[in-house]
Amino acid sequence: MYMSFLDEKTDNECYLHRQANFESKVRSYPRKLPFAIQSATGAWITDVEENRYIDCLSGAGTLALGHNHPVVTESIKQLLDSNLPMHTLDITTPLKDKFSEFLYTLLGTSSDEYCLQFCGPTGADAVEAALKLAKQVTGRSGIVSFSGGYHGMTHGALAVTGNLAPKQGIEGLMSPVQFLPYPNAYRCAFGLSNEQSVSAHITYFENFLKDVESGVVKPAAVILEVIQGEGGVNPAPIEWLKQVRRVTKELDILLIIDEVQTGFCRTGRWFAYQYADIDPDMIVMSKAIGGGLPMAVLGIKKQYDAWQAGNHSGTFRGNQLAMATGLATLEYLKENDMAAYVAEIGAWFMSELKSLQQRYPRIGHIRGRGLMIGMEIIDPSLPKQTDGSYPADSVVAANIQQDCFKRGLVIEKGGRGGTVLRFLPPLNVTKEELQQVLEKLDSALQANQ
């Protein structure tokens, strides 16, 4: 029986040992979250030893409605009973038509402004498509990205990602890519106070692109995350985003907004770029768009849809099962006004975290929007830096993460050196569940003062 594995009784250590034998050393999450999952519902995970955990990782933001939400599981059952094919390449179906119509209406101020490109199953696939299209449209090859940005692990996406570790030993990444500093409300790249920092970043960005002696020819595109996720839950200042959009328009440079983690109500809006009231030339979407199953879509302003048939393809761009679960999820988000709920409960949760900050000097900074929140761990015993921040403490951050796990709370780290604790609970998490998150976090912080 193919489901007989559910009857097996063993412990976490046994599964982890077997996983280490079966899998490459590239695996990462089991090293920080050493358990084997037996079942999961909503915001809760149960491991094979019957330990329960509150999940504030949510598949890195993929599970907008948590684990096995009824509208998602029911959509899978309905598709299986419908005799629709599970896979169609890019041939349309009634399901794909309905999904496309729903997504189409979410983009831009006019339903005729954007078109959709279904890419391979991951966000990195959509990033690759965006980079290629920008070069084709403009006839230029350069890309501007930002320090701390994360756009994926494929060749082109890795080239525009700030994290250096996965680039070690990898020669010949896509070029030319130019990195510029990304604003940070706690740690300014220029060593300035927050008030001065935003103005400095705006000035530097504009001067760099307009300076005829900058040494870098005009690029095809600028790519950025409105809130850097893996980079430490780092929200871009609204004024900076507006000025980036102004400058790129003035210079005929395409603006690619990566909404892979921020999209679909995660920040309290359907898309994070809406906070700045800007109009991206391309919008990269994945994670929550598939309702927990693999899918990636690129939104393209129609004036830049320069593809010829088959210029960019991907076998699994016709994943009907992901369209079923994605449509069910997006409809639920809209019908239940989840953007407003996330904005409200996220503001409450952040205020509670800031209350903890008053008691624990190790908490240097709390930031984010909606239910995408980061807590930077510092060493307050060391002297402040020129921008007024304390040095980060990666060892204590890792210890807090592990102590949270032992207490039944799953969180991830991010940012430089892994010093930012990240909170990405399901969007429908309850206040009572978040109270339990706070209690477990409080205990872990107390153990690591």
Side-chain angles (χ1 to χ4, degrees), residues 127-342:
V127 168
E128 297 282 354
L131 298 176
K132 287 169 59 178
L133 182 57
K135 294 179 179 184
Q136 184 165 328
V137 167
T138 64
R140 302 188 292 268
S141 60
I143 304 293
V144 168
S145 190
F146 293 90
S147 56
Y150 180 87
H151 301 288
M153 289 289 166
T154 53
H155 222 56
L158 181 59
V160 295
T161 289
N163 193 330
L164 294 179
K167 296 183 178 184
Q168 300 302 317
I170 309 297
E171 298 295 332
L173 287 173
M174 182 189 73
S175 64
V177 177
Q178 179 69 42
F179 284 88
L180 295 181
Y182 188 96
N184 185 310
Y186 189 61
R187 298 186 185 282
C188 175
F190 304 117
L192 301 172
S193 66
N194 188 42
E195 294 75 18
Q196 301 170 305
S197 179
V198 176
S199 177
H201 279 84
I202 291 171
T203 301
Y204 186 83
F205 177 80
E206 183 166 10
N207 286 349
F208 176 82
L209 291 177
K210 292 183 175 180
D211 181 6
V212 295
E213 295 287 342
S214 70
V216 178
V217 298
K218 185 163 73 169
V222 170
I223 185 169
L224 62 86
E225 301 161 277
V226 177
I227 303 176
Q228 293 185 335
E230 306 299 318
V233 193
N234 189 21
I238 298 303
E239 184 57 28
W240 180 79
L241 288 170
K242 288 179 177 291
Q243 296 307 317
V244 167
R245 175 70 286 198
R246 174 185 63 80
V247 172
T248 51
K249 277 189 173 181
E250 286 180 8
L251 298 179
D252 192 30
I253 298 169
L254 300 190
L255 179 60
I256 303 167
I257 297 292
D258 185 334
E259 291 270 1
V260 168
Q261 192 164 103
T262 51
F264 308 102
C265 303
R266 169 58 61 184
T267 68
R269 298 280 182 94
W270 277 100
F271 298 103
Y273 73 80
Q274 292 171 334
Y275 279 99
D277 193 27
I278 59 175
D279 59 327
D281 297 311
M282 297 186 217
I283 306 163
V284 182
M285 298 167 279
S286 190
K287 293 193 185 293
I289 196 175
L293 294 181
M295 182 163 59
V297 180
L298 181 63
I300 307 166
K301 277 193 174 180
K302 287 187 174 179
Q303 69 203 77
Y304 301 124
D305 182 25
W307 292 121
Q308 298 298 311
N311 275 179
H312 186 93
S313 61
T315 301
F316 292 101
R317 66 194 186 279
N319 187 342
Q320 297 293 293
L321 201 55
M323 292 178 196
T325 54
L327 179 61
T329 298
L330 299 185
E331 287 180 336
Y332 183 94
L333 294 176
K334 183 175 182 179
E335 291 166 4
N336 292 275
D337 196 11
M338 291 301 294
Y341 175 77
V342 167

Side-chain angles (χ1 to χ4, degrees), residues 356 359-360 404 407 409 435-449:
L356 286 179
R359 295 166 42 208
Y360 295 107
C404 283
R407 289 166 170 79
L409 172 59
Q435 287 280 15
Q436 293 187 58
V437 171
L438 291 164
E439 291 169 7
K440 295 174 187 296
L441 177 62
D442 191 347
S443 297
L445 287 165
Q446 191 170 1
N448 289 275
Q449 293 193 73

Side-chain angles (χ1 to χ4, degrees), residues 385-417:
Q385 301 175 124
T386 57
D387 58 7
S389 67
Y390 284 101
D393 195 325
S394 59
V395 173
V396 171
N399 290 341
I400 293 171
Q401 182 193 36
Q402 287 305 302
D403 279 351
C404 283
F405 180 75
K406 292 173 184 176
R407 289 166 170 79
L409 172 59
V410 173
I411 56 175
E412 174 59 310
K413 300 186 282 87
R416 290 158 177 81

